[in-house]
Amino acid sequence: MIKLKTHEEVVSLRKGGRILARILDELSLLVAPGVSTEELNDEALEKIERAGAEPVLLGYHPEFAPRPYPAAICTSINDVVVHGIPNEPSVVLQEGDVVGIDLSIGYEGMIVDSARTVPVGLVNPEVQKLINITKEALAVGIKAAKAGGHVGDIGAAIESFVRPHHYGIVEELCGHGVGYAVHEEPMVQNVGTRGTGPELEPGLVLAIEPMLTLGDYNVTFDKKDGYTVRTKDGSVSAHFEHTIVITENGPEILTASR
Ligand code: MG
């Protein structure tokens, strides 16, 4: 069931979103060759606690996984699309890598979710372009999230923007409702048809998160750790995510950097 958020709940989401954006800004600045994913996770935990927020991913147990998630952030390097675990094992970032940092926090009882892919030092121009287009695809998806429209409008907008670039659009994973829990209904796919799916109503809070690859769209799920999702063909992928709320005046990005 889809539950719309109240004005007061959106106020809390907005506060949490600002904290989350600031933490992601700070973590992104730490990304450099020689830094380990465990250091990023430790820094994230410290920053979350200092802000009076909750690390809601730590101990979160999604239905698909065999065990609770063991860290505060996901760090997804190169062919890892999402859900890379920073401390199992910790990986030292190398010049030319890309690392997706995905973080959800709770604040005043409300949950926000955001992610971005950060280049480690100088990356191949082809990879930098993938990062730029994925970020732009998120902006295009958000712009399509207008009150009175439908959830399918978001995926349709992302898909038609990305197709001319011939990137893989990962379809086995998607965005989602968020706010009371880490994942809520509805699913927000990155492909789709305009005018389909649930209606976009004011108070609907969504995490929109395109995941694109330099190759094919097929992915594999790591059976050993229960979480890591990789591209099947080993191609590099990028991931950007914001939490937004639908308003009468258009989508408001709750996790935007300021
Ligand atoms: Mg998400």
Side-chain angles (χ1 to χ4, degrees):
M1 212 183 67
I2 295 172
K3 281 209 292 187
L4 301 176
K5 275 69 184 177
T6 64
H7 176 75
E8 289 71 28
E9 288 167 344
V10 171
V11 170
S12 294
L13 285 162
R14 199 175 281 132
K15 289 187 211 164
R18 281 190 192 199
I19 293 168
L20 175 48
R22 198 185 65 222
I23 293 172
L24 274 182
D25 286 346
E26 292 172 2
L27 292 177
S28 302
L29 288 173
L30 292 175
V31 168
V35 172
S36 75
T37 51
E38 189 163 27
E39 286 171 62
L40 293 176
N41 185 59
D42 291 346
E43 286 284 343
L45 255 178
E46 203 184 298
K47 290 173 194 302
I48 294 165
E49 273 158 29
R50 214 183 303 141
E54 269 179 84
V56 292
L57 293 183
L58 183 62
Y60 175 61
H61 196 165
E63 264 171 50
F64 66 80
R67 59 170 179 151
Y69 190 71
I73 60 173
C74 302
T75 48
S76 304
I77 301 171
N78 299 337
D79 65 321
V80 177
V81 180
V82 286
H83 306 162
I85 303 173
N87 45 358
E88 292 187 14
S90 179
V91 176
V92 175
L93 299 172
Q94 310 287 329
E95 176 96 21
D97 284 345
V98 296
V99 58
I101 305 175
D102 195 342
L103 172 59
S104 293
I105 61 166
Y107 193 73
E108 296 180 352
M110 299 301 291
I111 294 172
V112 283
D113 189 0
S114 183
R116 54 183 88 158
T117 295
V118 184
V120 183
L122 204 59
V123 301
N124 180 323
E126 207 188 18
V127 172
Q128 185 59 54
K129 189 180 167 199
L130 173 74
I131 293 174
N132 298 346
I133 296 295
T134 310
K135 190 176 181 181
E136 215 176 320
L138 172 58
V140 165
I142 292 170
K143 212 172 147 200
K146 291 191 193 114
H150 292 80
V151 172
D153 300 356
I154 299 168
I158 292 171
E159 185 177 7
S160 62
F161 170 73
V162 173
R163 286 297 177 216
H165 296 285
H166 305 290
Y167 292 141
I169 305 176
V170 176
E171 292 181 28
E172 282 183 75
L173 297 153
C174 61
H176 48 91
V178 66
Y180 304 122
V182 176
H183 292 108
E184 295 173 13
E185 287 182 51
M187 292 202 315
V188 184
Q189 286 178 295
N190 296 307
V191 295
T193 308
R194 274 187 66 87
T196 63
E199 196 183 324
L200 297 169
E201 294 178 73
L204 179 62
V205 175
L206 300 174
I208 302 177
E209 49 180 322
M211 289 153 264
L212 307 183
T213 84
L214 278 181
D216 190 71
Y217 62 87
N218 286 310
V219 294
T220 62
F221 296 81
D222 192 313
K223 289 199 181 73
K224 244 166 65 199
D225 73 22
Y227 282 96
T228 308
V229 181
R230 295 182 181 83
T231 56
K232 202 170 180 183
D233 62 7
S235 62
V236 174
S237 76
H239 173 217
F240 280 83
E241 175 177 27
H242 272 311
T243 299
I244 67 153
V245 58
I246 307 294
T247 80
E248 303 281 3
N249 308 316
E252 176 188 340
I253 303 175
L254 297 167
T255 49
S257 295
R258 279 152 219 275

